[in-house]
Amino acid sequence: MTIDTLEGQAPPPAARSCKPGSITLARHGEPALSRKVKLHSAGYRDWWGRYEEGGLLAGQVPPDLLKAAAEGAGEVVASTRPRAVETARAVCGERAFATDVRFIEAPLPPPQFPRYLRFSPRTWGVISRFWWWFFDHHQGEETRDQAKIRAHEAAKALVKMADEGQDVLVLAHGFFNGMVGVELRRMGWKLVRDEGFRYWSARRFEKR
């Protein structure tokens, strides 16, 4: 897999086996940027840009299960977005992890509604995702079909690592993790633990 950066100093576990390892897709922790605002479409575009550049809300503690997954993984990979990198640091401690741009979130360009229509960022996220997915509304950013190709390539890279016998942990984003999960199932991987898509949640896949 293409590695953009490597964080930490401690080497990953070296153990390998002939049986494929598991693949765990985890969502980042809660970001610091507040969602308690009402925005028009241009305001939401600006808000999303700041969300993409921001890190985590202070004071969060990663779940023990997620930290255990990092300890047992032969490879830990994070999206290059700050909120994912900070999540990986919180989960891994001194453990080294890779970052890979292929795991960034799919874009959320909002449709150009009249300025008097104001919604919360959560509502805008639903609206924007719907327009992006069903109406190919991308405004020059990554399209749905391009994101599908990226998800397929990301899934193939994870399978290649897991086929070496090591467990793999990904710390990234809710929707794109879901797209990668779809590709994993198409490749014959079974979802064996599902914590949903909330912050710090994880979904574990194993080879059938």
Side-chain angles (χ1 to χ4, degrees), residues 6 28 37 54-55 101 111 122 125 129 142 183 185 187-188 191 196 206:
L6 189 65
H28 56 76
V37 291
V101 71
R122 188 179 303 278
R129 184 63 71 214
E142 184 181 45
E183 296 300 322
R185 288 193 291 270
M187 296 175 186
L191 180 62
E206 294 179 358

Side-chain angles (χ1 to χ4, degrees), residues 100-112:
D100 194 312
V101 71
R102 284 178 290 187
F103 292 95
I104 64 172
E105 183 61 288
L108 274 175
Q112 295 180 355

Side-chain angles (χ1 to χ4, degrees), residues 50-68:
R50 288 183 285 122
Y51 182 86
E52 286 282 76
E53 295 175 358
L56 296 184
L57 184 67
Q60 298 179 71
V61 178
D64 289 339
L65 283 176
L66 195 52
K67 290 192 290 185

Side-chain angles (χ1 to χ4, degrees), residues 77-207:
V77 184
S79 154
T80 56
R81 295 302 190 225
R83 61 193 186 276
V85 172
E86 290 184 17
T87 298
R89 288 175 182 156
V91 169
C92 293
E94 297 300 318
R95 164 75 189 277
F97 63 89
T99 60
D100 194 312
V101 71
R102 284 178 290 187
F103 292 95
I104 64 172
E105 183 61 288
L108 274 175
Q112 295 180 355
F113 287 177
R115 291 180 67 88
Y116 62 80
L117 291 177
R118 292 174 176 266
F119 306 109
S120 68
R122 188 179 303 278
T123 299
W124 271 119
V126 173
I127 293 170
S128 301
R129 184 63 71 214
F130 183 87
W131 251 253
W132 180 79
W133 188 265
F134 291 103
F135 300 131
D136 196 29
H137 177 80
H138 57 85
Q139 294 188 340
E141 299 185 57
E142 184 181 45
T143 67
R144 180 193 65 181
D145 289 343
Q146 289 170 337
K148 284 184 174 181
I149 293 171
R150 177 161 64 92
H152 180 72
E153 293 302 315
K156 285 200 305 182
L158 296 176
V159 168
K160 182 178 180 180
M161 287 188 286
D163 279 347
E164 297 176 0
Q166 61 184 343
D167 291 342
V168 182
L169 172 63
V170 177
L171 300 159
H173 310 273
F175 191 84
F176 192 72
N177 277 358
M179 294 181 70
V180 174
V182 169
E183 296 300 322
L184 289 175
R185 288 193 291 270
R186 287 175 177 168
M187 296 175 186
W189 290 70
K190 181 179 180 180
L191 180 62
V192 297
R193 190 179 82 231
D194 187 356
E195 297 177 355
F197 296 94
R198 66 187 185 278
Y199 299 130
W200 299 107
S201 64
R203 304 169 76 234
R204 180 185 175 100
F205 294 81
E206 294 179 358
K207 184 68 175 178

